[in-house]
Amino acid sequence: AQNGAVPAFPGQHLISDEPTEIVFLSQTDTDLLALAEAQRLLPEGFAPVRMAHVGRLPDDQAVDALLAEALPKAAIVVATLHGARSFPHGLAQLRAWAEATGGFLLCLPAVEALDPELMARSTVGVPLAHLISAYFQAGGVANLVNGLCCLSDHLLLTGWGYDSPRELPRHGLYQPQEAPASLSSDQPTVGILFYRAHLLSGNTAFVDALLSELREQGINGRAIYTQSLKECDADGIPCAINLLRGDERVDAIISTLSFALGDLDQMAAATD
């Protein structure tokens, strides 16, 4: 980023003499949870990373106040948003900041879809914006660590190195390291369903607690993460339910998903 005089923003001073930070602004809780986990795994000497939630700000004055706090030392700002129209005043202020300071701005979609209108607000090249977006879309702490290193190497000219984004399956078996490798055939089995977004963000403590309590009660636990129960096989059975069944009968299901399971009779037959 370039130093020098900065045009006055209403009630704000938006850059310091030595901008060094990478600032993430998000409307998605899971992005911020995953970034917090990734931050702990960054190499020593990595640029400071600041994060803020911009999804619940009541008015433009609150946006101005948040940016005044978040941007004074920013060299790079990454905004993951639900769309350009979901944060109009903030995007206008961020563009003004980038143009006034020479700071780097990346505007990325928070959903699994391209958003040319939003990404066009970025001030970096399209290839880099799409690459960093791919790390977020692939999700998971390891991807975000590599994405941060990629961002730093390209824009701050560091040399951390990074791997390409690696997509996590949309549905799969979750097994903590302390869990037994196999289920006991003489014990009942309880299945646990939870959203893939919790795995991507590292927010799996509640699943670990459920599995641990089941073990204490002499019950097998089989935890399955899923993107959605709407994704089904050719017979109309949710992919996650097929994984939940595995090779053993499931006697009960604990669902932490937010919405209805669908046809319970059909799913009960699938888990027999």
Side-chain angles (χ1 to χ4, degrees):
Q2 299 171 355
N3 299 327
V6 179
F9 289 72
Q12 303 175 42
H13 179 64
L14 295 186
I15 194 165
S16 69
D17 291 335
E18 297 182 358
T20 58
E21 294 183 346
I22 300 175
V23 174
F24 282 88
L25 307 175
S26 180
Q27 294 174 324
T28 306
D29 292 321
T30 51
D31 277 352
L32 297 177
L33 287 169
L35 282 165
E37 290 295 318
Q39 190 176 18
R40 299 186 181 96
L41 301 177
L42 291 171
E44 184 177 355
F46 197 87
V49 177
R50 179 189 289 260
M51 293 167 281
H53 200 298
V54 296
R56 305 185 185 96
L57 301 175
D59 50 39
D60 291 349
Q61 289 71 31
V63 173
D64 289 342
L66 184 144
L67 295 181
E69 181 181 355
L71 297 183
K73 295 184 179 180
I76 302 170
V77 175
V78 180
T80 59
L81 306 170
H82 295 304
R85 300 176 188 179
S86 68
F87 194 55
H89 180 71
L91 281 177
Q93 290 288 71
L94 289 171
R95 284 287 303 194
W97 163 83
E99 292 168 4
T101 67
F104 300 108
L105 173 63
L106 289 86
C107 301
L108 309 178
V111 296
E112 295 184 16
L114 292 177
D115 189 335
E117 180 186 3
L118 174 62
M119 297 181 77
R121 310 297 179 93
S122 302
T123 63
V124 302
V126 171
L128 180 60
H130 279 280
L131 177 57
I132 300 302
S133 181
Y135 284 105
F136 276 86
Q137 299 300 336
V141 173
N143 276 318
L144 291 185
V145 170
N146 282 296
L148 285 166
C149 290
C150 174
L151 192 67
S152 177
D153 284 1
H154 278 272
L155 298 181
L156 301 181
L157 305 182
T158 51
W160 301 112
Y162 52 88
D163 295 329
S164 299
R166 296 181 180 178
E167 183 72 26
L168 184 74
R170 296 174 69 83
H171 322 274
L173 173 67
Y174 170 71
Q175 191 167 2
Q177 291 183 350
E178 67 275 11
S182 59
L183 304 182
S184 174
S185 60
D186 59 351
Q187 294 177 335
T189 297
V190 170
I192 301 171
L193 294 172
F194 69 102
Y195 278 120
R196 177 176 178 265
H198 291 299
L199 183 64
L200 296 182
S201 65
N203 181 35
T204 56
F206 71 100
V207 183
D208 296 341
L210 286 170
L211 290 170
S212 177
E213 181 61 26
L214 289 171
R215 288 196 300 272
E216 290 291 326
Q217 299 296 326
I219 300 172
N220 295 317
R222 186 175 180 85
I224 299 295
Y225 64 85
T226 181
Q227 182 71 16
S228 171
L229 288 180
K230 294 180 181 180
E231 298 184 11
C232 301
D233 64 14
D235 296 323
I237 304 299
C239 300
I241 298 300
N242 282 329
L243 289 171
L244 187 64
R245 177 175 54 185
D247 297 326
E248 303 290 339
R249 175 188 172 90
V250 175
D251 299 282
I253 297 175
I254 298 174
S255 174
T256 68
L257 308 180
S258 301
F259 305 103
L261 292 175
D263 188 331
L264 292 178
D265 290 336
Q266 187 181 43
M267 294 207 305
T271 55
D272 285 341

